[in-house]
Amino acid sequence: MRLMGFGLLKPKNTILGSDIAGRVEAVGRNVTQFQPGDEVFGNTAKYGFGGFAEYVSVPENAVVLKPTTISFEEAAAVPQAAVVALQGLRDKGQIQKGQKVLINGASGGIGIFAVQIAKSSGAEVTAVCSTRNLDIVRSIGADHVIDYTQEDFTRNGQQYDLILAANGYHSISDYKRALSPTGTYVTTGGSDAQMFQTMLLGPFISRTGRQKMGNSAHKPNQKDLVLLKELIETGKVTPVIDRRFPLRDVADAIRYLEAGHAQGKVVITVEQNNNTSL
Ligand SMILES: NC(=O)c1ccc[n+]([C@@H]2O[C@H](COP(=O)([O-])OP(=O)(O)OC[C@H]3O[C@@H](n4cnc5c(N)ncnc54)[C@H](OP(=O)(O)O)[C@@H]3O)[C@@H](O)[C@H]2O)c1
């Protein structure tokens, strides 16, 4: 993330809080898409962050109407993680119906969405997680599960058409071995070494062979949020919330997330007014 421009020695942006969900309080006179009272969700990352708050002011393009079938808390769990998963699988991964797709880090914020989006694309999905998360990834639709504490998916002889590395670490040569001869490997996260190797070697491997390997960084946009709203309203994607923290405990929430073992998403709730979550 440092090399992607987030600040080499320290974060460029010190304001936190990307995803939001809530009710529109007021609109500027040039706003055409929303009116006060609309229920929306979105991503403030392109507009300076600031989502850890009771009120946030954003351009209208940062939000879309919230799915009608889920709560504000659930909606606040969606934007960045689900868009990362969607763009990694669809844009970089070119996911196709019937493909064998593996998600590494399937139980985290991004992985939980990746499993469901891959399933809704008609793929046969293998989810890699630890023992305590096997049930949750099965419950969201994974066809096969691999417990990484028991088995190394890069050494079991199986090959996949598409691998999305949402978390964890394997060397790029491990991933290469687990890919079919024309397979695609996409890194959206995980250890620095995992991201760095893909950034450095991915373009070379992609140019010299039939396998494709590369990183995917998320690009927030309204179109993808609308697509996710539809996937949620049709029951194809369901947010999973691990823990909720009140706004005053944001620091605890960040500490919990930093430990790296969240099961799905962590949400900050605004207690003062139950209509708003972020
Ligand atoms: N590309 C982008 O634009 C973008 C945007 C946002 C975030 N990211 C990056 O994406 C990564 C994942 O984000 P996230 O929100 O999904 O993280 P997260 O929610 O913190 O991930 C935690 C999950 O990962 C699992 N995990 C930990 N070690 C693992 C391993 N070795 N193998 C498999 N699973 C493992 C944990 O389960 P256990 O502890 O039980 O294993 C836990 O369920 C991070 O590196 C983040 O910086 C990228």
Side-chain angles (χ1 to χ4, degrees), residues 15-34:
I15 300 170
L16 300 179
S18 153
D19 295 349
I20 52 169
R23 194 165 276 131
V24 175
E25 187 72 22
V27 295
R29 66 173 184 280
N30 294 329
V31 170
T32 57
Q33 301 176 50
F34 305 104

Side-chain angles (χ1 to χ4, degrees), residues 46-76:
K46 253 168 60 179
Y47 309 104
F49 294 84
F52 294 149
E54 291 157 318
Y55 292 90
V56 59
S57 170
V58 285
E60 60 183 334
N61 289 349
V63 294
V64 303
L65 290 175
K66 168 181 127 355
T68 52
T69 49
I70 58 173
S71 67
F72 284 110
E73 289 181 11
E74 288 170 309

Side-chain angles (χ1 to χ4, degrees), residues 1 80 84 104-105 107-111 128 130 132-133 148 166-169 188-190 216-218 257 260-264:
M1 301 311 263
Q80 186 167 140
V84 170
N104 190 23
S107 55
I110 292 169
V128 181
S130 68
R132 69 189 185 96
N133 290 316
Y148 73 77
N167 216 339
Y169 171 75
T188 59
S216 173
H218 93 292
L257 200 63
H261 303 291
Q263 192 182 56

Side-chain angles (χ1 to χ4, degrees), residues 1 4 6 80-81 83-85 87-88 103-113 128-134 136-137 146-149 153 165-170 175 187-192 194-195 215-220 242 256-266:
M1 301 311 263
M4 283 178 195
F6 283 77
Q80 186 167 140
V83 167
V84 170
Q87 293 177 351
I103 314 291
N104 190 23
S107 55
I110 292 169
I112 290 272
F113 286 112
V128 181
C129 62
S130 68
T131 318
R132 69 189 185 96
N133 290 316
L134 293 175
I136 184 83
V137 298
I146 294 178
D147 180 344
Y148 73 77
T149 68
F153 73 87
N167 216 339
Y169 171 75
H170 278 282
Y175 281 116
T187 318
T188 59
S191 74
D192 290 351
Q194 177 161 286
M195 301 284 287
N215 284 319
S216 173
H218 93 292
K219 298 171 193 67
D242 176 347
Y256 179 69
L257 200 63
E258 263 181 349
H261 303 291
Q263 192 182 56
K265 292 291 292 181
V266 173

